[in-house]
Amino acid sequence: MAKIKTIFTCSECGGVSPKWLGQCPHCQAWNTLEESRDHGLAAQAEQHRYAPLAASTALRSLSDVEALELPRISTGIPEFDRVLGGGLVAGAVVLIGGDPGIGKSTLLLQALVAMSGERRVLYVTGEESAEQVALRARRLGLSGEEVDLFAEIRLESIQSALLEQKPAVAVIDSIQTIYSSELTAAPGSVSQVKECAAQLTRLAKQAGIPIVMIGHVTKDGALAGPRVLEHIVDTVLYFEGDTHSSFRLIRAFKNRFGAVNELGVFAMTDRGLRGVANPSALFLSQHSAQVSGSCVMATQEGTRPLLVEIQALVDTAHVPNPRRLSVGLEGNRLAMLLAVLNRHAGVSTSDQDVFVNAVGGVRITEPAADLAVLLAILSSLRDRPLPKGLFAFGEVGLAGEVRPAPRGQERLREAAKLGFSVAIIPKANAPRQPIEGLEVWAVDRLQDALDRLRA
């Protein structure tokens, strides 16, 4: 009988240590080592559990390897296909996470039903019973006649079903509920999640079955389980949005078969999630009259240009330390921009509370939002609306210069298509050919942009 010994596993990276330490020796995280039991089963099963995915091949030059375009499997939902890079790829493993109740299971059930007409699909449910899944399908108005449903949490049974049925697409809901009988740890533990994900990934590569796994998230919004889980899979998607709002966003943070930071926009209806054809309309407020503290920016999410309204509120501070709060934008960058505004434009906010918000719940991480944020702050501080039809984009440096943003022409064309008439942009992004209906103000420095507004 194999000897049982105590080991300590890191909940962040999955690293193993023979004794407890305050700091994980692998990822340097503090207080993450958890006690578990090692029954020596890994050594017994090493020959078959960790066998290579394919037979050994001869050494070849990279130039001799033929690069083939991988065929895509459409999910039947255009917005979902966009985030995936055009659809699912045979043998690819996709991990999708999000807050409870945000719509992960709903979206994947809709996708399976849409694909079931042309190919065989399998839905493995570990969190809900088969009856609960059937009730959801009925509530959404989905027939599901050609969707194979398997209520199981044992890994070995799921592997047998996948090899026997050979579906074109499989969904695992969720990876935290799956357990392997070869491990004694409880489902959801670091060892179980890591082992089950690795085994399903090996099966997907060997059999050419695309597998979509749903993952739980922590209170901070990150995927629960060891970080190695994100390294194993091919694509990592995050479901974003407020459960009290009807809009949902899917963002790709990792994609071996497509662009990262791609964004899919959905609206939650009584019939499930529906893709939004014109997402810019979600992030633009409809004001009956011009208001101060509002500036529209053209941002780029993956391959898609989006117009987002940036709102700012500047008010007299009633405490010694004025507040700087940003929602949807980086907080530290807001403090830096206020310092640039003071130094290079002579506008001080040292006695003012400054609040900045990106409308619609979208998160903007690119620095091209700098110019729009500063224009919105200045508009609120002076209580003077910006000209009608104006939008802006551009990164503002510490020296007060306005730096160019990538894909500037696409941003300009998207804004012109939606009826905007004035653009304040970096001089390096100025179009060579004029765009019909769009007046471009190309600036080199922040002071130049403010002078154009005063003119």
Side-chain angles (χ1 to χ4, degrees), residues 116-137:
S116 63
E118 300 179 358
R119 51 185 59 88
R120 189 166 194 172
V121 296
L122 175 63
Y123 189 97
V124 179
T125 172
E127 295 190 352
E128 299 175 308
S129 65
E131 290 75 15
Q132 288 175 306
V133 177
L135 284 174
R136 177 189 288 116

Side-chain angles (χ1 to χ4, degrees), residues 280 283-284 294-301 304-311 328-329 356-359 362-376 386 389-395 405-406 411-412 414-415 418 420 422-425:
S280 294
F283 309 125
L284 298 177
S294 173
C295 181
V296 174
M297 76 154 294
T299 185
Q300 189 79 19
E301 293 290 345
R304 162 186 277 169
L306 289 177
L307 295 184
V308 179
E309 181 180 358
I310 304 296
Q311 293 182 342
L329 298 154
V356 178
N357 176 44
V359 173
V362 65
R363 288 209 308 265
I364 300 175
T365 57
E366 67 166 347
D370 293 350
L371 188 57
V373 169
L374 288 176
L375 293 180
L386 295 174
L390 182 141
F391 74 99
F393 65 85
E395 177 186 355
R411 302 174 195 240
L412 293 174
E414 176 71 11
L418 293 176
F420 286 84
V422 181
I424 302 181
I425 63 172

Side-chain angles (χ1 to χ4, degrees), residues 3 16 20 27 29 39 76 81 90 98 172 189 197 241 243 248-249 269 293 320 354 363 372 385 424 442 452-453:
K3 181 180 179 181
V16 177
W20 188 89
C27 67
H39 291 254
D81 287 341
I172 308 295
S189 62
T243 54
R248 303 287 189 269
L249 307 176
T269 67
V354 180
R363 288 209 308 265
I424 302 181
R452 293 300 300 265
L453 290 175

Side-chain angles (χ1 to χ4, degrees), residues 137-335:
R138 182 181 304 173
R139 188 169 60 250
L140 298 175
L142 305 175
S143 63
E145 295 180 358
E146 300 181 7
V147 176
D148 295 332
L149 185 62
F150 191 34
E152 181 59 66
I153 62 174
R154 185 170 173 266
L155 174 65
E156 289 73 18
S157 300
I158 296 173
Q159 289 176 310
S160 300
L162 289 172
L163 292 174
E164 180 182 347
Q165 301 296 328
K166 289 190 175 2
V169 179
V171 169
I172 308 295
D173 186 9
S174 64
I175 188 60
Q176 271 81 11
T177 61
I178 308 301
Y179 79 95
S180 173
S181 58
E182 297 189 16
L183 300 175
T184 58
S189 62
V190 171
S191 57
Q192 286 284 9
V193 170
K194 183 170 65 173
E195 178 65 17
C196 292
Q199 291 292 343
L200 289 172
T201 300
R202 291 187 186 95
L203 189 148
K205 303 298 183 186
Q206 291 171 340
I209 303 173
I211 295 179
V212 183
M213 299 187 294
I214 295 177
H216 294 172
V217 295
T218 63
K219 61 181 180 181
D220 297 327
L223 281 164
R227 194 59 185 260
V228 71
L229 185 62
E230 298 184 28
H231 298 300
I232 291 175
V233 301
D234 298 303
T235 305
V236 178
L237 308 179
Y238 276 88
F239 231 119
E240 301 173 0
D242 189 352
T243 54
H244 302 290
S245 172
S246 61
F247 301 114
R248 303 287 189 269
L249 307 176
I250 298 183
R251 193 185 302 271
F253 279 84
K254 172 187 176 182
N255 194 349
R256 290 175 179 156
F257 305 107
V260 295
N261 289 328
E262 196 67 70
L263 188 71
V265 185
F266 296 85
M268 178 65 81
T269 67
D270 56 351
R271 291 294 182 178
L273 289 163
R274 295 289 182 267
V276 177
N278 183 20
S280 294
L282 300 180
F283 309 125
L284 298 177
S285 299
Q286 301 296 327
H287 301 293
S288 57
Q290 290 293 99
V291 296
S292 61
S294 173
C295 181
V296 174
M297 76 154 294
T299 185
Q300 189 79 19
E301 293 290 345
T303 60
R304 162 186 277 169
L306 289 177
L307 295 184
V308 179
E309 181 180 358
I310 304 296
Q311 293 182 342
L313 176 62
V314 181
D315 194 19
T316 303
H318 300 286
V319 293
N321 296 321
R323 299 182 62 189
R324 276 85 173 94
L325 179 64
S326 62
V327 179
L329 298 154
E330 188 179 353
N332 293 333
R333 196 162 187 87
L334 174 60

